[in-house]
Short mmCIF file of all heavy atoms in Angstrom, two decimals:
data_model
loop_
_atom_site.label_atom_id
_atom_site.label_comp_id
_atom_site.label_asym_id
_atom_site.label_seq_id
_atom_site.Cartn_x
_atom_site.Cartn_y
_atom_site.Cartn_z
N MET S 1 -2.27 -7.51 7.67
CA MET S 1 -3.05 -7.84 6.56
C MET S 1 -2.15 -8.31 5.43
O MET S 1 -0.95 -7.96 5.36
CB MET S 1 -3.79 -6.62 6.07
CG MET S 1 -4.66 -5.94 7.05
SD MET S 1 -5.38 -4.43 6.41
CE MET S 1 -4.11 -3.23 6.85
N SER S 2 -2.68 -9.10 4.53
CA SER S 2 -1.89 -9.57 3.37
C SER S 2 -2.68 -9.25 2.14
O SER S 2 -3.87 -9.48 1.98
CB SER S 2 -1.64 -11.07 3.45
OG SER S 2 -0.91 -11.50 2.32
N SER S 3 -2.00 -8.67 1.09
CA SER S 3 -2.59 -8.27 -0.10
C SER S 3 -2.74 -9.53 -1.06
O SER S 3 -1.70 -10.10 -1.57
CB SER S 3 -1.72 -7.21 -0.77
OG SER S 3 -2.15 -7.00 -2.08
N PRO S 4 -3.96 -9.97 -1.27
CA PRO S 4 -4.11 -11.20 -2.09
C PRO S 4 -4.01 -10.89 -3.62
O PRO S 4 -3.68 -11.78 -4.36
CB PRO S 4 -5.58 -11.62 -1.78
CG PRO S 4 -6.22 -10.37 -1.37
CD PRO S 4 -5.20 -9.49 -0.70
N ASP S 5 -4.35 -9.67 -4.10
CA ASP S 5 -4.21 -9.34 -5.48
C ASP S 5 -4.13 -7.78 -5.63
O ASP S 5 -4.16 -7.06 -4.62
CB ASP S 5 -5.36 -9.92 -6.35
CG ASP S 5 -6.75 -9.34 -5.88
OD1 ASP S 5 -6.94 -8.24 -5.56
OD2 ASP S 5 -7.70 -10.14 -5.93
N ILE S 6 -3.99 -7.35 -6.82
CA ILE S 6 -3.83 -5.93 -7.07
C ILE S 6 -4.95 -5.06 -6.48
O ILE S 6 -4.80 -4.06 -5.82
CB ILE S 6 -3.59 -5.63 -8.53
CG1 ILE S 6 -2.30 -6.27 -9.01
CG2 ILE S 6 -3.55 -4.13 -8.85
CD1 ILE S 6 -2.11 -6.26 -10.50
N ARG S 7 -6.21 -5.36 -6.94
CA ARG S 7 -7.31 -4.54 -6.57
C ARG S 7 -7.56 -4.58 -5.01
O ARG S 7 -7.84 -3.56 -4.42
CB ARG S 7 -8.55 -4.94 -7.35
CG ARG S 7 -8.52 -4.62 -8.74
CD ARG S 7 -9.69 -5.11 -9.52
NE ARG S 7 -9.56 -6.63 -9.35
CZ ARG S 7 -10.04 -7.44 -10.26
NH1 ARG S 7 -10.68 -6.94 -11.31
NH2 ARG S 7 -9.99 -8.68 -10.07
N ALA S 8 -7.51 -5.81 -4.50
CA ALA S 8 -7.79 -5.95 -3.02
C ALA S 8 -6.64 -5.24 -2.27
O ALA S 8 -6.87 -4.66 -1.13
CB ALA S 8 -7.89 -7.39 -2.58
N GLY S 9 -5.41 -5.29 -2.79
CA GLY S 9 -4.27 -4.63 -2.18
C GLY S 9 -4.47 -3.14 -2.11
O GLY S 9 -4.13 -2.55 -0.96
N ILE S 10 -4.83 -2.52 -3.15
CA ILE S 10 -5.06 -1.05 -3.13
C ILE S 10 -6.18 -0.69 -2.18
O ILE S 10 -6.15 0.33 -1.55
CB ILE S 10 -5.21 -0.46 -4.57
CG1 ILE S 10 -4.85 1.05 -4.56
CG2 ILE S 10 -6.55 -0.67 -5.06
CD1 ILE S 10 -3.45 1.41 -4.29
N ALA S 11 -7.19 -1.55 -2.11
CA ALA S 11 -8.28 -1.30 -1.20
C ALA S 11 -7.81 -1.39 0.24
O ALA S 11 -8.20 -0.55 1.11
CB ALA S 11 -9.43 -2.28 -1.39
N LEU S 12 -6.94 -2.34 0.59
CA LEU S 12 -6.36 -2.42 1.88
C LEU S 12 -5.50 -1.23 2.16
O LEU S 12 -5.49 -0.68 3.34
CB LEU S 12 -5.51 -3.67 2.00
CG LEU S 12 -6.20 -4.97 2.02
CD1 LEU S 12 -5.24 -6.15 2.03
CD2 LEU S 12 -7.03 -5.11 3.33
N LEU S 13 -4.76 -0.73 1.14
CA LEU S 13 -3.88 0.42 1.34
C LEU S 13 -4.73 1.67 1.71
O LEU S 13 -4.40 2.39 2.61
CB LEU S 13 -3.04 0.68 0.12
CG LEU S 13 -2.14 1.89 0.16
CD1 LEU S 13 -1.14 1.76 1.34
CD2 LEU S 13 -1.33 2.00 -1.17
N ILE S 14 -5.81 1.84 0.98
CA ILE S 14 -6.73 3.01 1.25
C ILE S 14 -7.36 2.85 2.59
O ILE S 14 -7.41 3.85 3.36
CB ILE S 14 -7.79 3.07 0.16
CG1 ILE S 14 -7.16 3.45 -1.21
CG2 ILE S 14 -8.91 4.09 0.51
CD1 ILE S 14 -8.07 3.27 -2.35
N ALA S 15 -7.78 1.70 3.01
CA ALA S 15 -8.37 1.48 4.38
C ALA S 15 -7.36 1.74 5.36
O ALA S 15 -7.64 2.36 6.43
CB ALA S 15 -8.90 0.09 4.43
N ALA S 16 -6.12 1.26 5.21
CA ALA S 16 -5.04 1.49 6.18
C ALA S 16 -4.71 2.95 6.39
O ALA S 16 -4.50 3.48 7.44
CB ALA S 16 -3.80 0.76 5.70
N MET S 17 -4.74 3.71 5.27
CA MET S 17 -4.48 5.19 5.36
C MET S 17 -5.62 5.92 6.12
O MET S 17 -5.36 6.95 6.76
CB MET S 17 -4.36 5.77 3.98
CG MET S 17 -3.02 5.39 3.30
SD MET S 17 -2.63 6.28 1.77
CE MET S 17 -4.16 6.18 0.87
N SER S 18 -6.80 5.40 6.05
CA SER S 18 -7.93 6.07 6.79
C SER S 18 -8.05 5.67 8.22
O SER S 18 -8.76 6.33 8.97
CB SER S 18 -9.24 5.85 5.98
OG SER S 18 -9.57 4.49 6.00
N ALA S 19 -7.36 4.53 8.59
CA ALA S 19 -7.42 4.05 9.92
C ALA S 19 -6.49 4.75 10.85
O ALA S 19 -5.48 5.29 10.43
CB ALA S 19 -7.10 2.56 9.93
N LYS S 20 -6.86 4.79 12.18
CA LYS S 20 -5.97 5.38 13.14
C LYS S 20 -4.90 4.40 13.52
O LYS S 20 -5.11 3.15 13.46
CB LYS S 20 -6.65 5.82 14.40
CG LYS S 20 -7.65 6.89 14.19
CD LYS S 20 -8.33 7.27 15.47
CE LYS S 20 -9.27 8.36 15.25
NZ LYS S 20 -10.00 8.79 16.47
N GLY S 21 -3.74 4.86 13.87
CA GLY S 21 -2.61 3.98 14.30
C GLY S 21 -1.87 3.50 13.06
O GLY S 21 -1.81 4.06 12.00
N THR S 22 -1.15 2.39 13.30
CA THR S 22 -0.20 1.85 12.29
C THR S 22 -0.75 0.51 11.75
O THR S 22 -1.32 -0.22 12.48
CB THR S 22 1.15 1.53 12.95
OG1 THR S 22 1.71 2.75 13.48
CG2 THR S 22 2.15 0.97 11.97
N SER S 23 -0.70 0.48 10.41
CA SER S 23 -1.20 -0.75 9.70
C SER S 23 -0.05 -1.33 8.96
O SER S 23 0.91 -0.62 8.55
CB SER S 23 -2.26 -0.40 8.72
OG SER S 23 -3.42 0.17 9.36
N ARG S 24 -0.03 -2.66 8.79
CA ARG S 24 1.01 -3.38 8.08
C ARG S 24 0.37 -4.18 6.99
O ARG S 24 -0.55 -4.98 7.31
CB ARG S 24 1.85 -4.22 9.01
CG ARG S 24 2.94 -4.96 8.28
CD ARG S 24 3.55 -5.90 9.22
NE ARG S 24 4.48 -6.74 8.44
CZ ARG S 24 5.56 -7.24 8.92
NH1 ARG S 24 5.97 -7.11 10.20
NH2 ARG S 24 6.38 -8.02 8.15
N ILE S 25 0.85 -4.07 5.76
CA ILE S 25 0.39 -4.85 4.69
C ILE S 25 1.50 -5.78 4.13
O ILE S 25 2.49 -5.21 3.72
CB ILE S 25 -0.23 -3.93 3.52
CG1 ILE S 25 -1.36 -3.07 4.11
CG2 ILE S 25 -0.69 -4.86 2.35
CD1 ILE S 25 -1.84 -2.00 3.07
N ASP S 26 1.24 -6.99 4.10
CA ASP S 26 2.26 -7.95 3.58
C ASP S 26 1.90 -8.21 2.18
O ASP S 26 0.84 -7.97 1.72
CB ASP S 26 2.27 -9.30 4.40
CG ASP S 26 2.66 -9.09 5.80
OD1 ASP S 26 3.64 -8.24 6.06
OD2 ASP S 26 2.17 -9.71 6.71
N ASN S 27 2.89 -8.81 1.46
CA ASN S 27 2.75 -9.19 0.05
C ASN S 27 2.49 -7.98 -0.86
O ASN S 27 1.58 -8.00 -1.71
CB ASN S 27 1.62 -10.26 -0.12
CG ASN S 27 1.70 -10.93 -1.46
OD1 ASN S 27 2.83 -10.92 -2.19
ND2 ASN S 27 0.67 -11.57 -1.89
N ILE S 28 3.19 -6.87 -0.63
CA ILE S 28 3.03 -5.65 -1.28
C ILE S 28 3.48 -5.71 -2.73
O ILE S 28 3.16 -4.85 -3.53
CB ILE S 28 3.67 -4.49 -0.66
CG1 ILE S 28 5.17 -4.65 -0.47
CG2 ILE S 28 2.98 -4.16 0.71
CD1 ILE S 28 5.86 -3.39 -0.07
N GLY S 29 4.10 -6.77 -3.17
CA GLY S 29 4.53 -7.00 -4.52
C GLY S 29 3.25 -6.97 -5.42
O GLY S 29 3.39 -6.56 -6.60
N GLN S 30 2.20 -7.44 -4.90
CA GLN S 30 0.95 -7.49 -5.67
C GLN S 30 0.51 -6.01 -6.03
O GLN S 30 0.12 -5.76 -7.10
CB GLN S 30 -0.17 -8.13 -4.88
CG GLN S 30 -0.04 -9.59 -4.66
CD GLN S 30 -0.20 -10.37 -5.94
OE1 GLN S 30 -0.83 -9.91 -6.88
NE2 GLN S 30 0.46 -11.61 -6.00
N ILE S 31 0.64 -5.12 -5.03
CA ILE S 31 0.29 -3.75 -5.28
C ILE S 31 1.31 -3.03 -6.22
O ILE S 31 0.89 -2.37 -7.15
CB ILE S 31 0.23 -2.96 -3.90
CG1 ILE S 31 -0.83 -3.55 -3.01
CG2 ILE S 31 -0.01 -1.46 -4.16
CD1 ILE S 31 -0.80 -3.09 -1.57
N ASP S 32 2.58 -3.37 -6.05
CA ASP S 32 3.67 -2.76 -6.90
C ASP S 32 3.46 -3.14 -8.35
O ASP S 32 3.80 -2.36 -9.21
CB ASP S 32 5.02 -3.24 -6.41
CG ASP S 32 5.42 -2.58 -5.08
OD1 ASP S 32 4.93 -1.50 -4.76
OD2 ASP S 32 6.27 -3.16 -4.34
N ARG S 33 2.93 -4.32 -8.61
CA ARG S 33 2.78 -4.74 -9.98
C ARG S 33 1.79 -3.84 -10.75
O ARG S 33 1.89 -3.64 -11.90
CB ARG S 33 2.29 -6.16 -10.03
CG ARG S 33 3.30 -7.15 -9.75
CD ARG S 33 2.88 -8.64 -9.99
NE ARG S 33 1.46 -8.78 -10.39
CZ ARG S 33 0.87 -9.87 -10.42
NH1 ARG S 33 1.48 -10.98 -9.98
NH2 ARG S 33 -0.42 -9.96 -10.78
N GLY S 34 0.75 -3.37 -10.03
CA GLY S 34 -0.26 -2.58 -10.72
C GLY S 34 -0.05 -1.07 -10.52
O GLY S 34 -0.71 -0.26 -11.27
N TYR S 35 0.67 -0.58 -9.55
CA TYR S 35 0.67 0.83 -9.19
C TYR S 35 2.19 1.14 -8.99
O TYR S 35 2.70 1.00 -7.90
CB TYR S 35 -0.10 1.17 -7.95
CG TYR S 35 -1.58 0.80 -8.14
CD1 TYR S 35 -2.09 -0.44 -7.75
CD2 TYR S 35 -2.41 1.70 -8.72
CE1 TYR S 35 -3.41 -0.75 -7.96
CE2 TYR S 35 -3.73 1.45 -8.87
CZ TYR S 35 -4.31 0.20 -8.52
OH TYR S 35 -5.62 -0.06 -8.67
N GLN S 36 2.80 1.64 -10.06
CA GLN S 36 4.24 2.05 -9.95
C GLN S 36 4.46 3.24 -8.94
O GLN S 36 3.74 4.17 -9.07
CB GLN S 36 4.73 2.45 -11.30
CG GLN S 36 6.23 2.72 -11.35
CD GLN S 36 6.67 3.08 -12.78
OE1 GLN S 36 5.92 3.32 -13.68
NE2 GLN S 36 7.94 3.05 -12.98
N ASN S 37 5.35 3.02 -8.04
CA ASN S 37 5.74 4.10 -7.09
C ASN S 37 4.50 4.66 -6.32
O ASN S 37 4.42 5.79 -6.04
CB ASN S 37 6.52 5.22 -7.71
CG ASN S 37 7.11 6.11 -6.73
OD1 ASN S 37 7.45 5.84 -5.65
ND2 ASN S 37 7.29 7.40 -7.17
N ILE S 38 3.59 3.78 -5.98
CA ILE S 38 2.35 4.20 -5.27
C ILE S 38 2.71 4.84 -3.91
O ILE S 38 2.10 5.81 -3.48
CB ILE S 38 1.30 3.09 -5.07
CG1 ILE S 38 0.03 3.57 -4.59
CG2 ILE S 38 1.88 1.98 -4.17
CD1 ILE S 38 -0.66 4.48 -5.61
N ASP S 39 3.70 4.27 -3.18
CA ASP S 39 4.05 4.84 -1.93
C ASP S 39 4.64 6.26 -2.09
O ASP S 39 4.22 7.22 -1.31
CB ASP S 39 4.96 3.99 -1.11
CG ASP S 39 6.24 3.61 -1.83
OD1 ASP S 39 6.18 3.57 -3.13
OD2 ASP S 39 7.19 3.27 -1.20
N GLY S 40 5.52 6.52 -3.01
CA GLY S 40 5.98 7.82 -3.23
C GLY S 40 4.97 8.83 -3.66
O GLY S 40 4.97 10.01 -3.24
N ARG S 41 4.02 8.43 -4.51
CA ARG S 41 3.01 9.33 -4.96
C ARG S 41 2.11 9.69 -3.86
O ARG S 41 1.65 10.89 -3.71
CB ARG S 41 2.31 8.70 -6.18
CG ARG S 41 3.23 8.65 -7.44
CD ARG S 41 2.45 8.27 -8.62
NE ARG S 41 1.95 6.81 -8.47
CZ ARG S 41 1.05 6.30 -9.36
NH1 ARG S 41 0.64 6.97 -10.41
NH2 ARG S 41 0.67 5.10 -9.10
N LEU S 42 1.65 8.74 -2.99
CA LEU S 42 0.78 8.91 -1.96
C LEU S 42 1.44 9.78 -0.82
O LEU S 42 0.83 10.71 -0.24
CB LEU S 42 0.27 7.70 -1.39
CG LEU S 42 -0.82 6.99 -2.34
CD1 LEU S 42 -1.20 5.67 -1.75
CD2 LEU S 42 -2.05 7.80 -2.48
N ASN S 43 2.76 9.52 -0.60
CA ASN S 43 3.52 10.30 0.36
C ASN S 43 3.58 11.79 -0.04
O ASN S 43 3.56 12.67 0.73
CB ASN S 43 4.86 9.70 0.59
CG ASN S 43 4.85 8.45 1.54
OD1 ASN S 43 3.92 8.27 2.31
ND2 ASN S 43 5.83 7.72 1.39
N ALA S 44 3.66 12.07 -1.37
CA ALA S 44 3.72 13.39 -1.89
C ALA S 44 2.44 14.12 -1.62
O ALA S 44 2.39 15.33 -1.49
CB ALA S 44 4.02 13.42 -3.37
N LEU S 45 1.32 13.34 -1.45
CA LEU S 45 0.04 13.97 -1.12
C LEU S 45 -0.19 14.06 0.44
O LEU S 45 -1.31 14.52 0.85
CB LEU S 45 -1.03 13.13 -1.75
CG LEU S 45 -1.01 13.14 -3.21
CD1 LEU S 45 -2.17 12.19 -3.77
CD2 LEU S 45 -1.33 14.60 -3.77
N GLY S 46 0.77 13.57 1.22
CA GLY S 46 0.57 13.71 2.70
C GLY S 46 0.42 12.37 3.43
O GLY S 46 0.34 12.37 4.62
N ALA S 47 0.47 11.31 2.73
CA ALA S 47 0.48 9.97 3.45
C ALA S 47 1.74 9.72 4.10
O ALA S 47 2.73 10.39 3.89
CB ALA S 47 0.16 8.85 2.35
N LYS S 48 1.73 8.77 5.02
CA LYS S 48 2.94 8.41 5.75
C LYS S 48 3.20 6.91 5.58
O LYS S 48 2.87 6.10 6.54
CB LYS S 48 2.82 8.79 7.26
CG LYS S 48 2.72 10.25 7.47
CD LYS S 48 2.54 10.58 8.92
CE LYS S 48 2.33 12.10 9.04
NZ LYS S 48 1.71 12.45 10.27
N ILE S 49 3.64 6.55 4.44
CA ILE S 49 3.88 5.21 3.97
C ILE S 49 5.40 4.83 4.07
O ILE S 49 6.15 5.59 3.50
CB ILE S 49 3.29 4.89 2.64
CG1 ILE S 49 1.79 5.12 2.60
CG2 ILE S 49 3.66 3.45 2.27
CD1 ILE S 49 1.26 5.04 1.21
N THR S 50 5.75 3.83 4.82
CA THR S 50 7.10 3.36 4.86
C THR S 50 7.21 1.89 4.49
O THR S 50 6.21 1.15 4.65
CB THR S 50 7.74 3.60 6.25
OG1 THR S 50 6.98 2.85 7.20
CG2 THR S 50 7.78 5.04 6.66
N ARG S 51 8.39 1.50 4.02
CA ARG S 51 8.57 0.05 3.74
C ARG S 51 9.60 -0.49 4.61
O ARG S 51 10.60 0.19 4.95
CB ARG S 51 9.10 -0.08 2.27
CG ARG S 51 8.00 0.35 1.23
CD ARG S 51 8.60 0.13 -0.17
NE ARG S 51 7.61 0.53 -1.15
CZ ARG S 51 7.11 -0.34 -2.03
NH1 ARG S 51 7.41 -1.62 -1.92
NH2 ARG S 51 6.15 0.06 -2.79
N GLU S 52 9.38 -1.72 5.03
CA GLU S 52 10.37 -2.43 5.87
C GLU S 52 11.04 -3.27 4.94
O GLU S 52 10.50 -3.92 4.04
CB GLU S 52 9.62 -3.20 6.95
CG GLU S 52 9.01 -2.39 7.99
CD GLU S 52 8.34 -3.18 9.05
OE1 GLU S 52 8.48 -4.40 9.08
OE2 GLU S 52 7.65 -2.61 9.93
N ASP S 53 12.37 -3.44 5.15
CA ASP S 53 13.15 -4.42 4.31
C ASP S 53 13.17 -5.79 4.93
O ASP S 53 12.99 -6.09 5.96
CB ASP S 53 14.58 -3.93 4.18
CG ASP S 53 14.64 -2.65 3.32
OD1 ASP S 53 13.78 -2.53 2.46
OD2 ASP S 53 15.51 -1.86 3.57
#
């Protein structure tokens, strides 16, 4: 999946967290612009979010 903008990106992230298996979201810079340290904050709540370099 590719994040087209901030709101759609966070919706994709929520959908990916509720789906079984592994999901990949490209263009995460869109999400980062609107939600500082979103992966760290969600991981603190039990999510399993990793970033590929």
Side-chain angles (χ1 to χ4, degrees):
M1 301 176 276
S2 181
S3 172
D5 61 38
I6 295 169
R7 290 175 298 209
I10 201 68
L12 288 173
L13 180 58
I14 293 167
M17 288 190 312
S18 64
K20 291 183 180 180
T22 301
S23 299
R24 179 182 171 157
I25 302 174
D26 295 322
N27 197 20
I28 59 169
Q30 293 290 337
I31 299 170
D32 287 337
R33 286 187 357 195
Y35 300 92
Q36 184 178 15
N37 191 27
I38 191 68
D39 53 335
R41 294 188 295 167
L42 290 173
N43 282 337
L45 295 173
K48 295 177 183 160
I49 300 171
T50 59
R51 291 178 182 250
E52 293 181 7
D53 292 329

